[in-house]
Every structure is written in structure tokens, then in C-alpha cells.
Amino acid sequence: MNLSVTLMCCNRARLFRNKSALYLCRRLSDVPISSSDDSQSSPDEKPRRTRRAPGKASVLLFPGQGSQFVGMGKGLLKYGNVKDMFAVAEKVLGYDLLSLCLNGPEKDLMKTVHCQPAVFVCSLAAVERLNHENPAAIESCVTAAGFSVGEFAALVFSGAMNFAEALFAVKVRAEAMQKASDLVSSGMLSVIGRPQANYKHACVQAREHCLSLDIQEPVCAIANYLFPDGRVIAGHKEALDFLQNHSRELNFIGTRLLPVSGAFHTALMEPAVEPLRDVLTKIEVRRPEISVHSNVDGKRYMHDKHIRNQLAKQLVSPVKWEQTLHEIYERAQGQEFPHTYEVGPGRQLGSTLQKCNMKAFKNYTHVDVVLP
């Protein structure tokens, strides 16, 4: 499907009106889009939400690839715009995403080209559920963040992107990442280490091992900073094999290969950058109405150009999730923590929050994508 057809889908998406949790209805003409390259707001730009007391504010976290499972979305069609979201998704993607989410087969859902759009749509469907069950959580939201592809869902929720256009960008991103993955045998390794573990030096040793095997320009680098002593390392398969085979001397407590097709968030994703950068120039992007934090450095997005640049850079940069959580939850002694909602499949982000900040985790709730 080309972008012009996607824009037709956007017109349908705009039929969804204001009180929607997703801002799918946002008429871009109704809210001025800043074309400024600096961080200053346009005088005409709609201001961000009023500050709230920390204990009365909420934070929404959106999961990424790897959280998907067959059956997600079950029972959510009764909420808000969920049925229409999946209808728009079928037109944008060219296949029945709802059926794939509900019925599989699992081997198809696990493919990068399918699971990224699936997680994106199901996470926003979970927001609709939260809006139905606890509308105050949506109204009081001051901050959002998403893990990898989850950033796109966070940006849609924040009003920075239109649902259908963002989904089309996710489609292009997933296809480009899959093509990049097909070029070389690579993967991702979850690692939990002892305090004395030196992850960067371990990657250097793994690259040296690859060079001894005559692998040219080997890649092995930290791809995800999850929590203290929790990392994901990605790169050539031979490098990951080396890390697993030498885990004891590298002071790794445990390692686990992730069920993904490539070395995401490393230099091996460089071929995917230009396709994503290109599509991001063709869709509407505006300054978020709430704070949305970038995976690249954990800092808040400031304006449309910043969003476009960081989303493209994210493909070849490590996800600094631990740093992002510190940015969101850092506060003075005795100050209350916001209520945190993980919206989407799985509880991985809650688990990382528990390991990074137990006090913040006490106000954590998971909004599931399956009804009992």
C-alpha cells in the first residue's frame, strides 16, 4: 500500500472524535503544526497540559517487539474505537491484523513485519480499555514513553502523530528492519551480569573473536540498557555464540537468545534507516501535548524535526530504557510518584521498572490486551 492510500485511511481515522484516548480523530488543520527547528513553541500552538501534583499524575509506558502473543486483542473490540482501529489497520497493512493477533499462526505473528504493527495497534487498543475503565488515568497523563516500536504508539497517544500515518511508518520500519536482518546472520542476547561485569569489553572480545574467523567489520554492541546489570547485546551470530560460551569468565549470571530475526538497534540496521527517514518526511508530525521520551537519550522530544531525527537514529542506537526511567521518575526526597500504566501485551516494562525504581513500581498497573 502506498502513502496516498494511507492518507485516505487517515481521513477515516479522523472520524473518531475528541474524547477518544488516542487522538485518532485529530484534525491536523485544527491544531497548528510547528515547523520551527528550535524547541520554542509557536505563539499559536496549543499549550501542553497543565502541571499536576506528582501523586495525581499518570505515566503511560508502551511495550515493544517481543511482547506479542497469539490471542492478544481478545475482548477489546467493545471498547471505544478499537474495532475501527483494526479496520483502518487492515487497509493500511493489506492483511487482517485482528485475525492474526487473535488466531495466529504464531510463526507468522512472530515475524518482524507482523509483530511490530500488531504490538502498536494492540497497545493503543489497551489505551482505549484504560480510557473506558479509568478515564482519569488518561486525563491526568503527563508523560509517555515507548520501548523501540512502542515509541510510535506513545507519539500517537500524545497527539504528535495520526494513527494511520504512524501505522504506515511502523509498516515501513518493520519491513526495512526485516530486509536488513536478512543480509547477515545476527541476533540479540539478553544478559544479566554480576556487578563487576564489563559489557562493553565483552563486546570487544566478541568482535575480536569474529575477526579471527575472518568476519569483516563484525558487530557486537549493547542494544538495550534495561536495568542495573541487565542488558541486551546484539550483533553477528558468531559474536553472540562467543558471549554464551564464555559467560562465566565474563561475569554473566545468565544469557538468553531473544526470539527476534536480527541485531536491532546496532549498526547492522543501517540499511533500514533511509526508508524510515524517507517515510517520516511524508507524514504529519507535531510537538507532543505531553512529555514523550526518546529511546536514544531518554530526553523529551521537543519538536517535529527532533522526533523525525531521533526515530531514524533509534534504529542504529541502543535503547536507553534504564536512563529513560531515571529521567521520568527522578524526584526530590519525599515527593510522591505518579501512577504508571503499562498499556499493551506483556509486563516486561513493569519488570524493568521494578528493578530500576521499586518506589515508582508500587504505583504500577498493567492494562492487558486480553479480557478474562
Side-chain angles (χ1 to χ4, degrees), residues 1 8 82 105 119 134 145 233 239 262 298:
M1 174 171 287
M8 292 173 62
V82 175
V119 170
N134 184 6
I233 296 175

Side-chain angles (χ1 to χ4, degrees), residues 207-224:
R207 291 196 295 270
E208 290 174 348
H209 170 72
C210 289
L211 288 171
S212 73
L213 300 177
D214 293 327
I215 297 173
Q216 301 300 310
E217 299 181 359
V219 171
C220 183
I222 298 172
N224 303 162

Side-chain angles (χ1 to χ4, degrees), residues 31-48:
V31 184
I33 298 168
S34 172
S35 59
S36 171
D37 287 350
D38 58 37
S39 61
Q40 300 300 314
S41 301
S42 161
D44 299 323
E45 187 173 353
K46 187 175 179 178
R48 293 190 178 195

Side-chain angles (χ1 to χ4, degrees), residues 59 61 143-145 293 298 323-331 338:
V59 173
L61 303 180
T143 300
H293 291 255
Q323 294 88 331
T324 297
L325 294 181
H326 288 315
E327 285 282 336
I328 293 173
Y329 295 102
E330 183 180 12
R331 58 205 59 239

